[in-house]
Each structure stands twice: as C-alpha cells, then as structure tokens.
Amino acid sequence: MILMEWAYFQQIVTLLLGRMAVFQVLDDRIEFTIETETFTYFREEFDSTIAQLKMYRYTPTQCYSPREYEVFVEPVEPRYGYRIIDEPIEISDDSSAYRLGSPSDELVLAFLSGIPSDSVRNYRRILSSRMINVRTLRNDAGEIHLLDLIKKVTKISLSLKISLSEGVSAETMLNRATSFLFSVAYNTDTAVKIIHSVNELEFERGHFSSRRSTNLRNLESPKLFYNHELIEQYNLSLTSEDPFIKFIGYYHILEYFFDAVYTDELINSVKDIILHPGFSTKKPKEINKIIDTVRKKTRANQDAFQGTELEALELTIKRFVSLEQLHEDLANYRPDLIAYYKSHEISFSNGDAIDLDNYTSDKLPKKIAARIYKTRNALVHHKSNTARLKERGIYHPFKDEAELSNEIPLMRFVAEAIIIKTATEI
C-alpha cells in the first residue's frame, strides 16, 4: 500500500466531509468552517504524521512494529443500541499497556491511504449515524483538529493500541488484541470486534447479561491467548437477541473440540486393553476386544454417529468444565435457575432435568450433555418423520422462544469455561 500525497489527502477530506464543513484548499493548508468558526490544518502536520507512519508496517486498518500494534475496532451492536466507549480505557503493567480509545493520527492516515482514488465518494458509507455535538469536537485549546473531526464523524472512531517492553511478532500482537477484547466482552457484555478490512465498516449492526463489571477501568492486562474462531462464535452469541442464534453459537464452541476429545478417548480405550496384563497378541479374543471397541465408537450409520457426538459432548464437558464453578456462575447470575434446571424438563426437546447442586456427581456431565444435545437436535432437525420428531422434538421459534432463553445462561457459562480452559499463556 502506497501512502497518500498531500493533494490526495485534500481531495479525500473534502469529498468525505463536504456536507459537514465548508473547505478552502490551499497549497500549505486546509481551512474548514463549521457553523461560523474557521479552523486550519497545515501541510507540515500532515507531513509529520506520514513520516511517523512510515516507521511501521501498516495496512488500512492496522499499524505494527515489534513493540507497538494498533488496529481499528468497533462495538458489535445489539439491535437496540450499544455501550458507547467515549472515554479511553488504559490498562498497563510492567511489560505491557493497552489503550482502547480514539485512534492515532497515523492510523487514520493509513486508513485514508487505502481508499481507491476512483471510489472516494462511495466511502461516505463510513460516516457515522451518531449525532455529533460540535462542542465535543473541540480540544483543550478550543480548536477543532481536522483528523479529530474525521475520527468523530466516521466509523473509524475507535482503536485498540498495544505497547510492549519487548518486541514480538505481528501474530502475537493480534493474539494479545483478541485476548484483551475477550476480557472486555467477558466482564462487561460489551463485544468489540477487530476490523480486518475496510469493507467490514459498510454495514450497520442491528441480550441475557452476566456483566461481571460495570467499569472497564477495572480490567487488567490479559494473561491468556484465546482461540480466534471460538471468540468469533462467542461474540456472535453474546450480541444476538435471538436465543436460537445464541444457543447454536455457543454450541459451536463446544463442538469445536469433539473430534479431539473423542479421538483421545478412543486411544485411551485401546491403550487400556493393550496395557492390561492379560492382553496378548496371540489371543484372537483379545484382538477382537480392540476391534469391537473401535467399531462401537466409529460406526458410520447416522443414528450411531449421533450417539458418538453425544458422548463427545459429555467428554468435552468433563475435560474442560468445572461443575462447581458452573454452579457458582449460574447461582450468581440468577439463583432461581439452579432449581429451574433441577425440576424442569425442556418441553420442546425432552431435555433432561439436571441437578446442579449435586456437582460432585460423576453422572452430572452426562446429564448436562443430554439436556444440551437434545435441545440442539430440536433446533436443527426438522425432518417430517413423526416417530423421530416425537423422540427428539422440534423447536417453534415464537412459541418456544422464552423457554429456550432459559437455556442460554447454561450454554454461555459452559462455552466460557471451554474458551478459558483451552487458552494458552501469554
């Protein structure tokens, strides 16, 4: 990507913001009038910022050096509005610093440099729909800086900047960014996504709350790297208002590890046979034990496969979820849910009642898996087989929505446990 020249910057600014201010373009400056006041942006300011930007590796949405990383982000908005982050959030420790707030001038110019010269007018879609008060645009000196104006009136108004005491790779910086944003979502129900491409800014984004903190300033620097794919599913579920989408999104997080945990279980089952002191390769009966074990766990017919998936779900819960912590999370969020799950079988899926008070029981993971799995089947299977529908049930979006909503806390806390348990240390 080639950085813009001064003349192109002048062209872009006037085309993007021509409806908000009156511009006069001169060789060494841009003068712009808002209401009755005129402000000036000088070419030397532009040249200085471009010189700083050249010290980084950059794309239209991010800047990177071994010790610094900045990327555009935006809140993933629920249908009825979102938590606006107007004040910068700054968190630091001895080796790292995170800042969620207004983007740097360098990142803004990197973004503008990426706008094709033949489609500048089309980029008016990045203009924000938020009402802007002119008074909020002023700096401490009462002036309005041109790049600050761009940040305020467009969707590129928020970035995450990371500074480290020691250099790391670009991939590690991205992992740190993902981890920090998960911490924000986990603690505040404020999902914020990384902008990887300018095309992601084209559309407007159109909630069960377990908010653990009401103040973003209480956060600490993240200590774990989280799986990117799981975080995408988590944010989708967190911000959707449809319990169907929430449930399926959280289920995909559980499902992600099915192959791994099931393969491990199969390997251990075979190893148990082989390592038994009575095992001998000279005994056909012992060899048949191995064959039968593998056959039972890898059947190809559909019904048997579903049984295998249910077992994989149970193994995933056993491996990654602390049932005591799950009980505590649910009790803290809504204490009545513990009694609800204990006494209530899901009507549209025949999902099993589960006694979470008995979190030390070896049978509880299987019960939880059955409740989740039967509900999942009712959501995704709509075949017109009367016998199968009676067995697995079917979800009616409007009739059953309220009942499904009560399953979302269980799904979210299980999914969060898996995301955290499978993370790696920074």
Side-chain angles (χ1 to χ4, degrees), residues 6 10 24-31 40-47:
W6 170 245
Q10 292 174 313
Q24 183 176 7
V25 175
L26 304 172
D27 287 343
D28 65 338
R29 64 191 184 275
I30 298 174
E31 294 181 352
T40 304
Y41 178 76
F42 292 97
R43 178 171 182 170
E44 61 185 31
E45 298 177 73
F46 172 83
D47 290 340

Side-chain angles (χ1 to χ4, degrees), residues 144-168:
I144 296 178
H145 193 275
L146 181 57
L147 295 185
D148 287 342
L149 175 62
I150 293 173
K151 297 171 193 177
K152 287 285 188 179
V153 302
T154 67
K155 297 178 185 176
I156 55 169
S157 60
L158 191 65
S159 77
L160 172 61
K161 185 171 184 178
I162 303 174
S163 303
L164 302 178
S165 59
E166 296 183 2
V168 299

Side-chain angles (χ1 to χ4, degrees), residues 337-347 349-356 363-364 366-372 374-375 407 410:
L337 280 177
I338 302 297
Y340 174 86
Y341 291 141
K342 184 176 182 179
S343 62
H344 187 81
E345 181 178 294
I346 304 172
S347 64
S349 68
N350 300 318
D352 305 57
I354 50 176
D355 183 4
L356 292 168
K363 297 180 180 179
L364 185 55
K366 186 172 184 177
K367 286 282 189 179
I368 295 174
R371 184 181 183 97
I372 292 173
K374 289 180 179 179
T375 302
E407 302 307 304
L410 174 66

Side-chain angles (χ1 to χ4, degrees), residues 18-272:
R19 298 175 183 175
M20 300 180 180
V22 177
F23 287 89
Q24 183 176 7
V25 175
L26 304 172
D27 287 343
D28 65 338
R29 64 191 184 275
I30 298 174
E31 294 181 352
F32 57 102
T33 302
I34 299 178
E35 296 182 348
T36 60
E37 290 189 77
T38 299
F39 306 93
T40 304
Y41 178 76
F42 292 97
R43 178 171 182 170
E44 61 185 31
E45 298 177 73
F46 172 83
D47 290 340
S48 175
T49 304
I50 287 291
Q52 289 292 321
L53 180 55
K54 288 179 179 178
M55 299 173 63
Y56 297 87
R57 287 165 50 190
Y58 49 81
T59 72
T61 62
Q62 59 186 317
C63 297
Y64 161 77
S65 73
R67 293 189 180 184
E68 289 189 340
Y69 175 73
E70 185 177 14
V71 62
F72 283 118
V73 297
E74 69 171 344
V76 183
E77 306 171 20
R79 189 177 304 161
Y80 300 113
Y82 63 100
R83 184 188 181 100
I84 297 173
I85 303 173
D86 283 326
E87 296 295 325
I89 305 302
E90 297 178 335
I91 297 167
S92 62
D93 54 32
D94 292 339
S95 61
S96 63
Y98 298 79
R99 184 183 188 279
L100 186 64
S102 180
S104 66
D105 291 349
E106 290 79 11
L107 188 59
V108 171
L109 290 189
F111 175 82
L112 296 178
S113 294
I115 297 179
S117 58
D118 59 350
S119 59
V120 176
R121 291 184 184 277
N122 295 336
Y123 275 75
R124 284 179 175 168
R125 69 177 186 262
I126 71 168
L127 296 176
S128 174
S129 60
R130 290 175 57 190
M131 296 296 294
I132 303 298
N133 188 326
V134 174
R135 287 176 296 179
T136 66
L137 299 174
R138 298 181 184 275
N139 57 27
D140 293 339
E143 298 288 318
I144 296 178
H145 193 275
L146 181 57
L147 295 185
D148 287 342
L149 175 62
I150 293 173
K151 297 171 193 177
K152 287 285 188 179
V153 302
T154 67
K155 297 178 185 176
I156 55 169
S157 60
L158 191 65
S159 77
L160 172 61
K161 185 171 184 178
I162 303 174
S163 303
L164 302 178
S165 59
E166 296 183 2
V168 299
S169 68
E171 181 181 5
T172 299
M173 283 292 197
L174 179 60
N175 288 339
R176 280 182 171 267
T178 301
S179 298
F180 177 82
L181 296 179
F182 173 71
S183 295
V184 172
Y186 179 85
N187 284 282
T188 70
D189 293 346
T190 304
V192 180
K193 63 168 287 189
I194 291 173
I195 300 299
H196 297 282
S197 164
V198 293
N199 292 328
E200 296 179 44
L201 294 166
E202 181 172 1
F203 306 104
E204 295 290 341
R205 310 295 190 272
H207 147 67
F208 148 70
S209 173
S210 71
R211 183 170 293 154
R212 297 171 172 90
S213 174
T214 57
N215 189 348
L216 292 176
R217 299 180 187 279
N218 291 334
L219 297 179
E220 294 183 351
S221 301
K223 303 173 182 65
L224 298 171
F225 286 141
Y226 304 100
N227 183 295
H228 292 251
E229 295 181 41
L230 302 188
I231 299 304
E232 287 182 350
Q233 292 293 335
Y234 181 83
N235 284 335
L236 171 67
S237 299
L238 185 66
T239 57
S240 174
E241 292 192 24
D242 187 339
F244 179 97
I245 296 175
K246 284 179 174 290
F247 189 99
I248 295 300
Y250 289 134
Y251 187 85
H252 285 164
I253 295 173
L254 280 59
E255 191 177 39
Y256 187 88
F257 295 97
F258 282 5
D259 286 343
V261 298
Y262 198 78
T263 298
D264 288 348
E265 179 67 9
L266 178 57
I267 290 172
N268 290 332
S269 296
V270 173
K271 282 176 64 177
D272 287 344

